[in-house]
Amino acid sequence: MGDNSQDHPYYPLGAGISGYSPNELSTVELLIKAGGGCAVLLGLTFTLVSYTRPKLRVNDRIAVLWFVLSGTMHCFFEGYFMINHQKMASAQDLFGQLWKEYALSDSRYMTSDTLVLCMETMTVLIWGPLCLWVAVLITKHSSLRHPMQLLVCLSHLYGDSLYYATSLFDHYVNDISYCRPEGYYFWLYYFCMNFIWIVVPFYYLLQSIRTLSTAVRFQQESISLRKST
């Protein structure tokens, strides 16, 4: 395809996306490579944690895997978008092709949309590194684990909610759709892939709230007991 800004598969069809070049890899090949990369990352992380912290509980090991996966994706995959957002349409490296495939469900990633770019930049520079730090705090049984875990999880819930809300507002109120009409782009790419970052952070948010609440209650009871003796 040429440089015509409308010569692309993204919606709305009139979106200004110049220099579009179709992906060289098929969707299946992209998903296999992405899944394989995640599997290698999780496998190496699990092996390292099992070797260095053999007494770490299974639940905590799973938490480490989640925060390492999130932090790595935020810093590197989303970092790729932050750096290359102006030339995404012609990219043919793995990350570029993955973003072009995902953008079929949200073309804002092809147009350097202000909200998406600012949100992803904050994710790369702040929330990604904090995810990795939380993983380290978990392995060290640090008292900072739950305050930081709560903060990071809340940021994911806020970011995803804002991401959904702005897109759906444009769709239903402004009659602007950034997603292709095929259902699987909306439900599999746009909805499911992002909903994971609501469900899992919500679980760990509740975990941190319960833990911190228990700690505060224990401290209050200890203070009351000392005062009464």
Side-chain angles (χ1 to χ4, degrees):
M1 291 189 180
D3 291 333
N4 190 322
S5 63
Q6 298 189 31
D7 195 12
H8 58 72
Y10 302 104
Y11 273 61
L13 294 177
I17 302 173
S18 61
Y20 171 73
S21 176
N23 279 343
E24 296 175 352
L25 296 176
S26 69
T27 301
V28 173
E29 290 175 314
L30 288 173
L31 293 177
I32 290 175
K33 288 179 179 292
C38 291
V40 170
L41 173 65
L42 294 176
L44 291 174
T45 302
F46 186 82
T47 301
L48 179 62
V49 171
S50 298
Y51 178 75
T52 58
R53 294 289 188 272
K55 295 183 180 180
L56 195 67
R57 296 182 306 170
V58 173
N59 289 344
D60 286 339
R61 295 187 192 193
I62 294 174
V64 169
L65 294 180
W66 166 255
F67 284 104
V68 167
L69 177 64
S70 292
T72 302
M73 290 186 66
H74 293 336
C75 290
F76 295 97
F77 184 57
E78 291 166 77
Y80 175 95
F81 168 77
M82 181 187 74
I83 295 172
N84 299 285
H85 64 94
Q86 291 182 320
K87 52 184 179 181
M88 297 288 288
S90 60
Q92 290 298 343
D93 49 61
L94 179 59
F95 280 3
Q97 291 189 65
L98 284 170
W99 274 116
K100 285 197 291 181
E101 179 67 22
Y102 175 77
L104 292 169
S105 72
D106 189 349
S107 66
R108 292 180 295 177
Y109 283 92
M110 289 291 107
T111 59
S112 298
D113 177 82
T114 301
L115 172 83
V116 170
L117 180 58
C118 291
M119 182 180 67
E120 294 291 4
T121 299
M122 290 185 63
T123 300
V124 172
L125 299 179
I126 301 175
W127 308 124
L130 285 182
C131 280
L132 298 175
W133 189 32
V134 170
V136 172
L137 294 175
I138 295 172
T139 63
K140 293 184 175 182
H141 300 288
S142 172
S143 59
L144 281 175
R145 180 251 176 105
H146 285 290
M148 298 310 304
Q149 180 173 291
L150 186 149
L151 175 64
V152 169
C153 290
L154 192 60
S155 74
H156 281 91
L157 295 177
Y158 175 77
D160 251 21
S161 298
L162 187 63
Y163 176 70
Y164 278 140
T166 52
S167 177
L168 295 176
F169 182 88
D170 275 344
H171 179 73
Y172 289 108
V173 178
N174 297 327
D175 197 28
I176 301 174
S177 178
Y178 303 109
C179 181
R180 288 191 57 83
E182 296 87 349
Y184 55 86
Y185 287 121
F186 178 84
W187 290 110
L188 180 61
Y189 288 9
Y190 176 80
F191 180 78
C192 290
M193 287 186 177
N194 291 288
F195 195 63
I196 296 172
W197 268 268
I198 287 182
V199 174
V200 180
F202 185 69
Y203 169 81
Y204 286 116
L205 175 70
L206 292 180
Q207 181 191 67
S208 292
I209 290 174
R210 287 195 299 267
T211 301
L212 293 172
S213 177
T214 300
V216 171
R217 185 172 62 251
F218 177 79
Q219 183 187 43
Q220 290 173 338
E221 291 174 351
S222 298
I223 293 174
S224 298
L225 182 61
R226 286 199 299 268
K227 288 182 177 180
S228 63
T229 57

mmCIF file of all heavy atoms in Angstrom, residues 4 15 52 121 142 184 201 211:
data_model
loop_
_atom_site.group_PDB
_atom_site.id
_atom_site.type_symbol
_atom_site.label_atom_id
_atom_site.label_comp_id
_atom_site.label_asym_id
_atom_site.label_seq_id
_atom_site.Cartn_x
_atom_site.Cartn_y
_atom_site.Cartn_z
ATOM 1 N N ASN A 4 -1.093 7.074 0.846
ATOM 2 C CA ASN A 4 -2.408 7.685 1.056
ATOM 3 C C ASN A 4 -2.857 7.458 2.480
ATOM 4 O O ASN A 4 -2.887 6.343 2.967
ATOM 5 C CB ASN A 4 -3.423 7.058 0.077
ATOM 6 C CG ASN A 4 -4.746 7.813 0.067
ATOM 7 O OD1 ASN A 4 -5.202 8.262 1.112
ATOM 8 N ND2 ASN A 4 -5.333 7.933 -1.107
ATOM 9 N N ALA A 15 -9.210 8.093 9.060
ATOM 10 C CA ALA A 15 -8.136 8.443 10.001
ATOM 11 C C ALA A 15 -6.845 8.751 9.251
ATOM 12 O O ALA A 15 -6.486 8.054 8.300
ATOM 13 C CB ALA A 15 -7.916 7.310 10.994
ATOM 14 N N THR A 52 16.484 -18.376 44.316
ATOM 15 C CA THR A 52 16.957 -17.383 45.289
ATOM 16 C C THR A 52 16.071 -17.280 46.522
ATOM 17 O O THR A 52 16.531 -16.884 47.587
ATOM 18 C CB THR A 52 17.062 -15.990 44.635
ATOM 19 O OG1 THR A 52 15.773 -15.610 44.114
ATOM 20 C CG2 THR A 52 18.082 -16.021 43.491
ATOM 21 N N THR A 121 2.853 7.000 28.240
ATOM 22 C CA THR A 121 4.115 7.571 28.716
ATOM 23 C C THR A 121 4.218 7.480 30.237
ATOM 24 O O THR A 121 5.265 7.109 30.777
ATOM 25 C CB THR A 121 4.242 9.038 28.262
ATOM 26 O OG1 THR A 121 4.237 9.102 26.825
ATOM 27 C CG2 THR A 121 5.528 9.654 28.783
ATOM 28 N N SER A 142 9.177 -7.272 52.228
ATOM 29 C CA SER A 142 9.298 -5.894 52.692
ATOM 30 C C SER A 142 7.968 -5.360 53.218
ATOM 31 O O SER A 142 6.893 -5.669 52.687
ATOM 32 C CB SER A 142 9.795 -5.005 51.556
ATOM 33 O OG SER A 142 9.758 -3.644 51.916
ATOM 34 N N TYR A 184 -14.480 -9.913 16.909
ATOM 35 C CA TYR A 184 -13.348 -10.416 17.690
ATOM 36 C C TYR A 184 -12.310 -9.336 17.971
ATOM 37 O O TYR A 184 -11.560 -9.424 18.948
ATOM 38 C CB TYR A 184 -12.702 -11.629 17.018
ATOM 39 C CG TYR A 184 -12.247 -11.423 15.592
ATOM 40 C CD1 TYR A 184 -10.991 -10.892 15.304
ATOM 41 C CD2 TYR A 184 -13.060 -11.795 14.526
ATOM 42 C CE1 TYR A 184 -10.564 -10.721 14.007
ATOM 43 C CE2 TYR A 184 -12.643 -11.625 13.216
ATOM 44 C CZ TYR A 184 -11.405 -11.100 12.957
ATOM 45 O OH TYR A 184 -10.989 -10.928 11.662
ATOM 46 N N PRO A 201 -5.320 -6.734 38.940
ATOM 47 C CA PRO A 201 -5.011 -5.660 39.892
ATOM 48 C C PRO A 201 -6.088 -5.484 40.962
ATOM 49 O O PRO A 201 -5.768 -5.139 42.105
ATOM 50 C CB PRO A 201 -4.897 -4.415 39.006
ATOM 51 C CG PRO A 201 -4.458 -4.941 37.693
ATOM 52 C CD PRO A 201 -5.194 -6.248 37.547
ATOM 53 N N THR A 211 -4.701 -6.609 54.098
ATOM 54 C CA THR A 211 -3.460 -6.723 54.864
ATOM 55 C C THR A 211 -3.185 -5.457 55.659
ATOM 56 O O THR A 211 -2.845 -5.504 56.852
ATOM 57 C CB THR A 211 -2.275 -7.016 53.928
ATOM 58 O OG1 THR A 211 -2.523 -8.231 53.215
ATOM 59 C CG2 THR A 211 -0.981 -7.144 54.722
#
